[in-house]
Amino acid sequence: MAQDTNGVKDAGKWITEANPKPSYTVLIDDKHLVTKLYNMVNVPTGVWINEQGRIARPNEVAFADDRFKTFTGMDSTPYINALKDWAEKGDKSAYAMNEEQLRQKLATNDPGIALAAAEFGLGEQLYKSGHLTEAIPHFKEAQRLNPKSWNYKRQAWALSDSKRDYGTTFKDEVDKIGGSKVYYTPPDLPAEKKP
Amino acid sequence: MKAKFPALLLLLIMAAYSATAKETHATIVYDDVATELSGANEEANQLWVTKADLTRATRFELKPQGACQEKLCFPIPKARKQEFLRNNSGKSWFNLTAFAQLVQQPVAHDAALSTWYFGLRADQRQTLNSLEAPNFTLPDINGKMHSLSDFRGKKVFLVTWASW
């Protein structure tokens, strides 16, 4: 699920040039709708959804391979094994969360985060109608209202010269938080499988 | 009497202003769909739209039971009707920003470009509280639309990525 304001223009080649060719459904979300609906703050973010359409594990970093391991320092194996366990056992998997665990994990209905999403959406609308300069204050406001969202930062920075328009770069911001090894919070997987 | 006169004067001025409020062009983004309106009223950070434009831009219609979009209806409080509805210039107007406040919907506004973005209402955001995965419909690279609900009966591993 590509979270890309420029849609096929930016995301397309990552789909057409993927090797092997995707055997799964790949969608393009040029309005960051899924980011807004699920309160996501970064990519890659994974959500497990069971056969009844209920969330089994909510938002968490979801690397399907180790191509970014040098940057993140994270091994994808534990997450992939957990995913396979859930695929096999469903709600009986130790990695599927129960209702209480889910309610603790799921984001609250925060009006500031909702307003951030609206400011970001307005910025996208202005950008797409040819008003990048006017879009920037709204992207900045979205970033201020939801400072945890790397999606709102990185997408906006990618649409212009981030140093010129935002006074920063992705690298600058990663350095500020202590480097790439702490950029992602690893998935909170149970240490041991339940019997 | 002294206290009442300025209040009366203010009401008269407001009524006169209301009756002559200038209709302007505005862009509304509602449910992520942009609609151009040739005649909207923007006053004091409030957006008034005609009933016809309300339906065109938001798919909400005014019915006796309230503002309704298909089976979803939000009653308009009778005691506050004047905050939401008014008639002038021979047209019926609806205050979309007051309605947004009523349904706890965030609104972002760019005054210079008269563009209004209406975000997810509280009822749309509360899906997470029910633990049901919020549904969405999005295109693949060929433009074919897919909904999360199409996958009901199967496990779904939903994962996001980006080119940036």
Side-chain angles (χ1 to χ4, degrees):
Chain A
M1 176 95 47
Q3 299 294 290
D4 265 292
T5 299
N6 281 326
V8 175
K9 183 183 162 211
D10 285 349
K13 68 176 179 181
W14 298 95
I15 302 167
T16 56
E17 295 176 18
N19 186 16
K21 195 176 170 185
S23 57
Y24 40 84
T25 305
V26 185
L27 304 181
I28 299 176
D29 183 358
D30 71 351
K31 296 185 176 75
H32 291 248
L33 174 62
V34 171
T35 288
K36 295 169 195 164
L37 282 172
Y38 286 77
N39 289 330
M40 292 177 175
V41 295
N42 210 340
V43 293
T45 293
V47 180
W48 301 1
I49 300 165
N50 73 11
E51 292 88 338
Q52 291 75 46
R54 204 195 78 154
I55 293 170
R57 279 188 75 85
N59 301 355
E60 61 194 342
V61 62
F63 283 107
D65 58 34
D66 286 332
R67 76 183 69 185
F68 294 107
K69 191 175 176 181
T70 308
F71 177 78
T72 66
M74 284 170 52
D75 179 2
S76 62
T77 308
Y79 185 74
I80 293 168
N81 287 344
L83 185 59
K84 286 177 178 171
D85 190 76
W86 173 67
E88 184 188 331
K89 299 173 187 166
D91 290 345
K92 290 181 180 169
S93 165
Y95 304 104
M97 291 187 180
N98 61 36
E99 187 172 332
E100 188 184 341
Q101 289 171 314
L102 283 168
R103 292 202 184 281
Q104 285 174 0
K105 286 274 182 188
L106 289 172
T108 54
N109 200 356
D110 184 316
I113 289 175
L115 183 57
E119 289 287 351
F120 187 82
L122 177 58
E124 281 193 306
Q125 168 65 24
L126 298 179
Y127 166 78
K128 287 178 180 178
S129 58
H131 298 97
L132 171 63
T133 305
E134 291 83 355
I136 289 169
H138 298 288
F139 285 140
K140 286 181 177 174
E141 182 63 358
Q143 294 164 3
R144 186 189 70 78
L145 289 164
N146 189 357
K148 289 182 180 172
S149 176
W150 286 97
N151 282 10
Y152 293 162
K153 291 173 187 164
R154 294 188 64 191
Q155 177 65 90
W157 297 339
L159 299 175
S160 65
D161 180 329
S162 66
K163 196 76 178 173
R164 180 196 66 201
D165 295 332
Y166 297 88
T168 192
T169 64
F170 176 50
K171 185 180 180 310
D172 289 347
E173 295 300 311
V174 170
D175 288 346
K176 267 188 214 170
I177 60 165
S180 65
K181 301 295 184 287
V182 294
Y183 173 61
Y184 288 107
T185 303
D188 183 17
L189 299 170
E192 291 179 19
K193 292 183 184 181
K194 292 174 194 168
Chain B
M1 184 66 192
K2 273 185 184 174
K4 283 182 184 172
F5 179 71
L8 183 62
L9 185 63
L10 183 63
L11 275 174
L12 285 171
I13 292 168
M14 283 174 68
Y17 179 73
S18 170
T20 58
K22 193 180 170 188
E23 291 185 27
T24 58
H25 171 271
T27 303
I28 292 180
V29 184
Y30 205 98
D31 288 339
D32 272 330
V33 176
T35 305
E36 303 293 327
L37 304 186
S38 56
N41 277 345
E42 294 179 334
E43 308 165 12
N45 221 25
Q46 299 286 300
L47 176 67
W48 291 82
V49 299
T50 64
K51 285 185 181 177
D53 280 343
L54 170 71
T55 302
R56 194 164 67 87
T58 71
R59 295 187 298 119
F60 273 96
E61 290 179 77
L62 295 179
K63 294 182 174 178
Q65 59 269 44
C68 303
Q69 190 189 59
E70 297 172 359
K71 290 178 183 174
L72 180 70
C73 275
F74 294 99
I76 303 299
K78 282 183 184 171
R80 297 169 52 201
K81 203 174 170 184
Q82 72 282 2
E83 290 177 39
F84 298 90
L85 297 159
R86 75 180 182 198
N87 292 305
N88 70 25
S89 309
K91 295 176 187 171
S92 299
W93 298 85
F94 184 72
N95 187 334
L96 197 53
T97 37
F99 179 64
Q101 197 171 19
L102 180 74
V103 298
Q104 298 175 57
Q105 180 178 37
V107 181
H109 177 215
D110 189 278
L113 293 171
S114 291
T115 302
W116 300 76
Y117 185 98
F118 292 80
L120 296 172
R121 298 184 306 270
D123 62 294
Q124 294 170 307
R125 305 195 303 269
Q126 280 169 355
T127 319
L128 280 178
N129 294 341
S130 73
L131 307 182
E132 190 173 324
N135 192 38
F136 53 82
T137 302
L138 290 167
D140 62 22
I141 194 168
N142 299 311
K144 184 184 174 189
M145 303 304 282
H146 301 260
S147 295
L148 177 64
S149 56
D150 298 342
F151 296 86
R152 194 60 65 91
K154 294 178 181 176
K155 292 187 184 71
V156 174
F157 174 44
L158 172 68
V159 61
T160 60
W161 57 279
S163 67
W164 34 263

